[in-house]
Amino acid sequence: MPRKPDPTLKPAIIAKVTQHLQDTKLEDVSVRSLGRVLGTSAYPIVYHFGSRDALIDAVVEHLADTVSDVVLEPTADDLALTEYLIAVFGRLDDPERSLAARLTFELGAVESIDSRDRERTFHREQIAAVAAWCRSHGYGPADADRAALGAVLAARGAQWGTIVDRENTDTDAALRAIAHKLVAGAQFATA
């Protein structure tokens, strides 16, 4: 009779691999190398996840859970807009948030090649949320879409700046400036 799977093992593997990826390039990760990191063979990884890619997907899901319930209500005030941008794109001083941002770029850069669309879908959801906020605050439809796209791209740029030049980049300050610019645009649109 086969052994029953230990339900605590899968989350423990995800946590350990998440920690390992903070200092390891994604291209250097294999099922065997992860087995060595875990102090075991590759069998538990294959048993619980099926493949390296499925394990990486599980890590990305785990990291995405920290922002999956963050919502920007279209009628939210200026402070809520700022908090939203920081919650979704900032707080990169937290190692897991920094890893999530790095993986967004690493995986997002190649996902169209392997017919995935997780990062593109998330990106479009953020543009839609910010555009809805803009429209609710006086932007015309075309201006709202343009401002939202610019804001999300600027937020991604701030993340990238932190990933490549942490000492000289303050992501949260950049995100506050992006929110301020959107608020100023809303005040201008309603004036």
Side-chain angles (χ1 to χ4, degrees), residues 18 21-22 59 63 94-104:
T18 299
L21 284 174
Q22 291 174 8
V59 169
L63 294 170
D94 176 325
E96 285 198 357
R97 296 281 300 135
S98 183
L99 175 60
R102 192 189 97 210
L103 290 176
T104 293

Side-chain angles (χ1 to χ4, degrees), residues 40-162:
T40 185
S41 69
Y43 176 76
I45 296 167
V46 173
Y47 178 80
H48 285 285
F49 300 96
S51 68
R52 170 199 176 270
D53 289 344
L55 174 56
I56 299 301
D57 285 345
V59 169
V60 171
E61 269 307 309
H62 165 73
L63 294 170
D65 283 347
T66 62
V67 297
S68 63
D69 60 349
V70 177
V71 176
L72 176 61
E73 295 295 331
T75 58
D77 65 10
D78 305 354
L79 181 59
L81 172 66
T82 303
E83 290 171 355
Y84 173 81
L85 291 174
I86 290 172
V88 172
F89 299 106
R91 298 188 180 121
L92 299 186
D93 52 334
D94 176 325
E96 285 198 357
R97 296 281 300 135
S98 183
L99 175 60
R102 192 189 97 210
L103 290 176
T104 293
F105 287 101
E106 285 187 69
L107 296 171
V110 296
E111 78 177 6
S112 64
I113 296 170
D114 62 11
S115 71
R116 296 179 185 210
D117 67 350
R118 171 198 298 273
E119 297 308 326
R120 179 179 40 189
T121 298
F122 180 76
H123 177 74
R124 289 180 177 168
E125 288 169 355
Q126 302 320 306
I127 293 169
V130 174
W133 183 92
C134 289
R135 282 190 297 278
S136 179
H137 288 82
Y139 281 82
D143 290 336
D145 293 343
R146 194 171 19 259
L149 176 61
V152 171
L153 291 175
R156 293 288 189 194
Q159 283 184 322
W160 178 247
T162 298

